[in-house]
Amino acid sequence: MKINQALADLPAGYLFAEIAKRVKEYSANNPQADILRLGIGDVTRPLVPAVVEAMKQAADEMGTPEGFHGYGPDFGYDFLINAIIAGDYLSRGVEIAFDEVFISDGAKSDVGNLQELFGNDAKIAVTDPVYPVYVDSNAMAGRLGKYENGKWSGLTYLPCNAENGFVPPLPPQRVDVVYLCYPNNPTGTVLTREQLQKFVDWALENDALIVYDAAYKAFITDPAIPRSIFEIPGAKKCAMECCSFSKTAGFTGTRCAYTVVPKELVFSGVSLNRMWGRRQATKFNGVSYPVQRAAQAVYSPEGQRQIMENILYYQENARVIREGLTAAGIQTFGGVHAPYIWMKTPKGLSGWDFFDLLLNKAHVVGTPGEGFGPSGAGYFRLTAFNTLEKTREAVQRIIQAL
Ligand code: PLP
């Protein structure tokens, strides 16, 4: 059997394993240390009552002859697709057709799977630092060349740093696909309408695809910041968009997401909407009925009010981190429209040295920027997903440690 050598050669998922190892070692040697975790990328607030009630009702239905549901429609139930179109798009003046929405079990699966739409030799660009799934999933397909000195030889990196205000440059050479994620993980920054328009115009001129990951769109507080790439004129001809209930409504353990593939999206004369439908219908059997009912409840008036309370809670944590560190003279970025705060490490320390310093002196865990790509070096990510009390305590400890 010939194995997939690209997958076999993929460097091990080093970042979180290394963090866990260092924390475990430290805890073993310092059992009295009360370690506070601001490294987690997972939500912590429970599901809201409207969601729980809808899930329970649907579970009860499933136990009756009239309410039982077997395999659902390939691309999701009508009730959820219609709720998404009304709640996330029409409400912002964007028209999306019913058959352009594909319900799935996660934005992670979708961003990984959708590269089955690309040719094996398609050229890829990512912003740097980046959510590692875009890179690793393309590396598994053998599309990125060799991994040397922390970089893939065949990948185009679009550096985002304090100097360029975390606004990625347009790809300097021919690429077929650009992955954009806004609000951004890990930097927590956003792009304005004008900045996104430049990417859309570039993609249209260059016959390229934008894969837009809007997993954190619920955190956007300023109505002027686009929540969807489809708010940008021309985007339906060059972009597909992955969204998720994970961060919007705490579904990280419940699993529900959706991807929008417009019918205008045509490359080499072929509709990506048709290709994606064909792919999903073959390889995916849908999200369970109770979970789709639970996701629908996110759009009810009570659901909206309740999920906003949780988002406001995380936003307050982000504010505490951002303002606390800034007042202490630390340069921070993001954290306004996102649950992530990206900070420059003091005294030019590497992300890993700063990680060790915080662990040793403050008993606080964050994530070294190096784990998100070469341009993450010398930066550090803190997240707003702990409790408010622990977040406040962690910020005080960081300030004291510095
Ligand atoms: N996209 C980004 C940018 C993320 O940071 C994450 C999770 O952390 C995901 C997608 C995963 O979303 P899901 O839980 O829907 O798979």
CSV table of all heavy atoms in Angstrom, one decimal, residues 106-108 131 134 181 185 213 215-216 244 246-247 255 257, ligand 1:
chain,number,residue,atom,x,y,z
A,106,GLY,N,-18.8,21.5,11.9
A,106,GLY,CA,-17.8,22.3,12.4
A,106,GLY,C,-17.1,23.1,11.3
A,106,GLY,O,-16.9,22.6,10.2
A,107,ALA,N,-16.6,24.3,11.7
A,107,ALA,CA,-15.9,25.1,10.7
A,107,ALA,C,-14.5,24.5,10.5
A,107,ALA,O,-13.9,24.6,9.5
A,107,ALA,CB,-15.7,26.5,11.2
A,108,LYS,N,-14.0,23.7,11.5
A,108,LYS,CA,-12.7,23.1,11.4
A,108,LYS,C,-12.8,22.0,10.3
A,108,LYS,O,-12.0,22.0,9.4
A,108,LYS,CB,-12.3,22.4,12.7
A,108,LYS,CG,-10.9,21.8,12.7
A,108,LYS,CD,-10.6,21.4,14.1
A,108,LYS,CE,-9.1,20.9,14.2
A,108,LYS,NZ,-8.8,20.7,15.6
A,131,TYR,N,-4.5,30.5,12.0
A,131,TYR,CA,-5.1,29.4,12.6
A,131,TYR,C,-4.5,28.1,11.9
A,131,TYR,O,-4.6,28.0,10.6
A,131,TYR,CB,-6.6,29.4,12.3
A,131,TYR,CG,-7.4,28.3,12.7
A,131,TYR,CD1,-7.4,27.8,14.0
A,131,TYR,CD2,-8.3,27.7,11.9
A,131,TYR,CE1,-8.2,26.7,14.4
A,131,TYR,CE2,-9.2,26.7,12.2
A,131,TYR,CZ,-9.1,26.2,13.5
A,131,TYR,OH,-9.9,25.1,13.9
A,134,TYR,N,-5.6,25.7,8.4
A,134,TYR,CA,-5.5,25.9,7.0
A,134,TYR,C,-4.2,25.4,6.4
A,134,TYR,O,-4.2,24.8,5.3
A,134,TYR,CB,-5.6,27.4,6.7
A,134,TYR,CG,-6.6,28.3,7.4
A,134,TYR,CD1,-6.3,29.5,7.9
A,134,TYR,CD2,-7.8,27.7,7.7
A,134,TYR,CE1,-7.2,30.3,8.5
A,134,TYR,CE2,-8.8,28.5,8.4
A,134,TYR,CZ,-8.4,29.8,8.8
A,134,TYR,OH,-9.3,30.5,9.5
A,181,CYS,N,-9.3,35.1,7.9
A,181,CYS,CA,-10.0,34.8,9.1
A,181,CYS,C,-10.2,36.1,9.8
A,181,CYS,O,-9.2,36.7,10.3
A,181,CYS,CB,-9.3,33.8,9.9
A,181,CYS,SG,-10.0,33.6,11.5
A,185,ASN,N,-8.1,34.9,14.5
A,185,ASN,CA,-7.4,34.0,15.5
A,185,ASN,C,-6.0,33.8,14.9
A,185,ASN,O,-5.9,33.3,13.8
A,185,ASN,CB,-8.1,32.7,15.6
A,185,ASN,CG,-7.4,31.7,16.6
A,185,ASN,OD1,-6.4,32.1,17.3
A,185,ASN,ND2,-7.8,30.5,16.6
A,213,ASP,N,-13.1,32.7,6.9
A,213,ASP,CA,-13.5,32.1,8.1
A,213,ASP,C,-14.0,33.1,9.1
A,213,ASP,O,-13.2,34.0,9.5
A,213,ASP,CB,-12.2,31.4,8.7
A,213,ASP,CG,-12.6,30.5,9.9
A,213,ASP,OD1,-13.6,30.8,10.6
A,213,ASP,OD2,-11.7,29.7,10.3
A,215,ALA,N,-15.6,32.6,12.0
A,215,ALA,CA,-16.0,31.8,13.2
A,215,ALA,C,-16.2,32.8,14.4
A,215,ALA,O,-17.0,32.4,15.3
A,215,ALA,CB,-14.9,30.8,13.6
A,216,TYR,N,-15.6,33.9,14.4
A,216,TYR,CA,-15.7,34.8,15.6
A,216,TYR,C,-16.5,36.1,15.3
A,216,TYR,O,-16.5,37.0,16.0
A,216,TYR,CB,-14.2,35.3,16.0
A,216,TYR,CG,-13.4,34.1,16.5
A,216,TYR,CD1,-12.6,33.4,15.6
A,216,TYR,CD2,-13.6,33.6,17.8
A,216,TYR,CE1,-11.9,32.3,16.0
A,216,TYR,CE2,-12.9,32.5,18.2
A,216,TYR,CZ,-12.0,31.8,17.3
A,216,TYR,OH,-11.4,30.7,17.8
A,244,SER,N,-19.6,29.3,12.3
A,244,SER,CA,-19.8,28.3,13.3
A,244,SER,C,-20.6,28.7,14.5
A,244,SER,O,-20.6,29.9,14.8
A,244,SER,CB,-18.4,27.9,13.8
A,244,SER,OG,-18.4,27.0,14.9
A,246,SER,N,-19.9,27.5,17.3
A,246,SER,CA,-19.0,27.2,18.5
A,246,SER,C,-18.7,28.4,19.4
A,246,SER,O,-18.9,28.4,20.6
A,246,SER,CB,-17.6,26.7,17.9
A,246,SER,OG,-17.8,25.4,17.5
A,247,LYS,N,-18.3,29.5,18.8
A,247,LYS,CA,-17.9,30.7,19.6
A,247,LYS,C,-19.1,31.6,19.7
A,247,LYS,O,-19.3,32.3,20.7
A,247,LYS,CB,-16.7,31.4,19.0
A,247,LYS,CG,-15.5,30.5,18.7
A,247,LYS,CD,-14.9,29.8,19.9
A,247,LYS,CE,-14.2,28.6,19.6
A,247,LYS,NZ,-12.8,28.7,19.3
A,255,ARG,N,-21.4,20.9,18.5
A,255,ARG,CA,-21.0,20.8,17.1
A,255,ARG,C,-22.1,21.2,16.1
A,255,ARG,O,-23.0,20.4,15.8
A,255,ARG,CB,-20.5,19.4,16.7
A,255,ARG,CG,-19.5,18.7,17.7
A,255,ARG,CD,-18.2,19.6,17.9
A,255,ARG,NE,-17.6,19.9,16.6
A,255,ARG,CZ,-16.9,21.0,16.4
A,255,ARG,NH1,-16.9,22.0,17.4
A,255,ARG,NH2,-16.3,21.3,15.3
A,257,ALA,N,-22.2,24.0,12.5
A,257,ALA,CA,-21.5,25.1,11.8
A,257,ALA,C,-22.2,25.2,10.4
A,257,ALA,O,-23.1,24.4,10.1
A,257,ALA,CB,-20.0,24.8,11.6
B,1,PLP,N1,-11.9,28.6,12.7
B,1,PLP,C1,-11.1,29.3,13.6
B,1,PLP,C2,-10.4,30.5,13.2
B,1,PLP,C3,-11.0,28.8,14.9
B,1,PLP,O1,-10.2,29.5,15.8
B,1,PLP,C4,-11.7,27.7,15.3
B,1,PLP,C5,-11.6,27.1,16.7
B,1,PLP,O2,-10.9,27.5,17.5
B,1,PLP,C6,-12.5,27.0,14.3
B,1,PLP,C7,-12.6,27.5,13.1
B,1,PLP,C8,-13.2,25.7,14.7
B,1,PLP,O3,-14.6,25.9,14.7
B,1,PLP,P1,-15.5,24.6,15.0
B,1,PLP,O4,-15.6,24.5,16.4
B,1,PLP,O5,-16.8,25.1,14.3
B,1,PLP,O6,-14.9,23.5,14.3
